[in-house]
Amino acid sequence: MTSWAQVRDAGFEVPEGRPVGEMVAELVGMLRSPDPVVRDRQAYSVLATWIGRGVLSTDELRALGDEMVPRFTDPEIQARTFAPLILDVIVTNGVFEPSWVPPFERWYVAEEDLRGYDEKLGWLHALAHGADLLGTLGQHAAVEPVQMLRLGIGRLLTPTPYVLRDMEDDRLGYALAATLTRDDLTGSDATDWLDPAIRQLSNPPAEGITPEVTNTVRTLRVLYVLADHGLRVGDAKKLTRIPQADQVKTKLADVLRIVTPYYL
């Protein structure tokens, strides 16, 4: 067994004496650990760093991605929520399979456990981790951006008892904004995905403002700021502008005005 704490402390250098594939298999097993030190600070940190440094081959990355997909239906929450993080790093580093997208979509909109942090399990962050992958897929040429925009608003509008915390609404707002930087989106593409929010917010339940409404409004406020100001995408030194920013802001104002008429 490799001392992964030592690997981390040594700058994530690849240990000698063991095949990389064997070590990756060990790390993949650790990714489902309920111990946040083992899962997050060791397994995820090492895997993400090695992927970014090109330690794994294209075939190894594809196999790793294939191994992550079944975890979207895993009974353990930490196994489900760390799968999109690994897939995000893999896709960011140039390996993508269309078959990874539908299982991610099904999981993201249906996940019921939206805890950000748990005292025993550590960071879970289902919504934020999924948002990171959503934003990466939304910028990928092989993925329809409208598909990711609809997934994002679908996730927000799904009933939940959780009000988001730990900046998760910012993560999803950024992912939606990054997707909207695609220059192949038409004006209607960039705005029509918000129609379900208008319909749902216009027909509030008897109990008043629900957690999903709060989550939606807060996330769309983030998106409004990014549409107005621009955002940093990837390693870009300058801000990237959303091509349809004016139309997006107008439609966002229409949505927000429904529940916050006092400032719009």
Side-chain angles (χ1 to χ4, degrees), residues 132-151:
D132 293 348
L133 179 56
L134 184 153
T136 297
L137 293 175
Q139 296 170 76
H140 198 284
V143 178
E144 288 290 336
V146 172
Q147 185 180 351
M148 292 298 105
L149 294 170
R150 290 173 178 167
L151 176 62

Side-chain angles (χ1 to χ4, degrees), residues 149 180 182-195 198 220 223-224 226-228 241-257:
L149 294 170
L180 285 165
R182 289 273 294 263
D183 57 13
D184 54 343
L185 284 166
T186 66
S188 60
D189 288 339
T191 57
D192 287 355
W193 62 279
L194 287 163
D195 288 342
I198 291 177
L220 295 184
L223 179 55
Y224 190 100
L226 295 173
D228 187 60
R241 299 285 178 175
I242 292 174
Q244 313 288 349
D246 288 342
Q247 290 170 267
V248 170
K249 287 192 295 180
T250 298
K251 191 63 171 277
L252 287 170
D254 290 341
V255 178
L256 297 172
R257 188 179 295 113

Side-chain angles (χ1 to χ4, degrees), residues 36 53 56 92 124 126 134 157 167 212 218 231 239 246 260:
R53 291 179 181 176
L56 280 68
T92 298
L124 299 173
L134 184 153
L157 295 173
M167 306 295 286
E212 62 270 18
R218 284 168 37 181
L231 63 149
L239 292 176
D246 288 342
T260 55

Side-chain angles (χ1 to χ4, degrees), residues 12-249:
F12 300 100
E13 292 297 322
V14 180
E16 297 180 357
R18 291 184 67 189
V20 170
E22 183 180 294
M23 290 188 287
V24 168
E26 184 179 331
L27 291 166
V28 167
M30 293 163 58
L31 269 178
R32 65 183 310 112
S33 172
D35 185 336
V37 173
V38 171
R39 182 184 70 252
D40 202 336
R41 292 180 58 82
Q42 296 178 12
Y44 170 70
S45 296
V46 173
L47 272 175
T49 302
W50 284 5
I51 292 169
R53 291 179 181 176
V55 173
L56 280 68
S57 69
T58 296
D59 287 344
E60 287 171 328
L61 289 176
R62 188 171 289 111
L64 179 58
D66 287 342
E67 196 165 355
M68 289 298 103
V69 169
R71 295 200 176 185
F72 286 126
T73 58
D74 195 280
E76 298 290 336
I77 178 61
Q78 72 275 4
R80 299 196 299 272
T81 62
F82 272 71
L85 281 185
I86 297 298
L87 283 171
D88 180 32
V89 180
I90 292 171
V91 176
T92 298
N93 283 275
V95 176
F96 168 77
E97 287 294 330
S99 60
W100 297 342
V101 179
F104 162 63
E105 292 178 303
R106 289 192 292 269
W107 164 74
Y108 195 48
V109 77
E111 178 60 60
E112 296 180 353
D113 191 341
L114 300 186
R115 288 174 294 167
Y117 184 81
D118 179 80
E119 290 186 1
K120 292 183 178 180
L121 296 174
W123 290 107
L124 299 173
H125 259 338
L127 191 131
H129 291 177
D132 293 348
L133 179 56
L134 184 153
T136 297
L137 293 175
Q139 296 170 76
H140 198 284
V143 178
E144 288 290 336
V146 172
Q147 185 180 351
M148 292 298 105
L149 294 170
R150 290 173 178 167
L151 176 62
I153 199 64
R155 171 63 273 178
L156 285 169
L157 295 173
T158 298
T160 176
Y162 293 99
V163 173
L164 299 176
R165 50 177 295 177
D166 302 313
M167 306 295 286
E168 294 199 82
D169 36 12
D170 283 62
R171 296 268 282 273
L172 183 49
Y174 173 82
L176 294 168
T179 301
L180 285 165
T181 63
R182 289 273 294 263
D183 57 13
D184 54 343
L185 284 166
T186 66
S188 60
D189 288 339
T191 57
D192 287 355
W193 62 279
L194 287 163
D195 288 342
I198 291 177
R199 290 193 294 269
Q200 189 159 325
L201 271 59
S202 296
N203 295 282
E207 62 267 29
I209 300 297
T210 58
E212 62 270 18
V213 170
T214 297
N215 297 338
T216 299
V217 169
R218 284 168 37 181
T219 302
L220 295 184
R221 284 175 184 157
V222 173
L223 179 55
Y224 190 100
V225 171
L226 295 173
D228 187 60
H229 183 66
L231 63 149
R232 297 191 186 279
V233 178
D235 297 326
K237 301 292 184 182
K238 298 181 179 180
L239 292 176
T240 299
R241 299 285 178 175
I242 292 174
Q244 313 288 349
D246 288 342
Q247 290 170 267
V248 170
K249 287 192 295 180

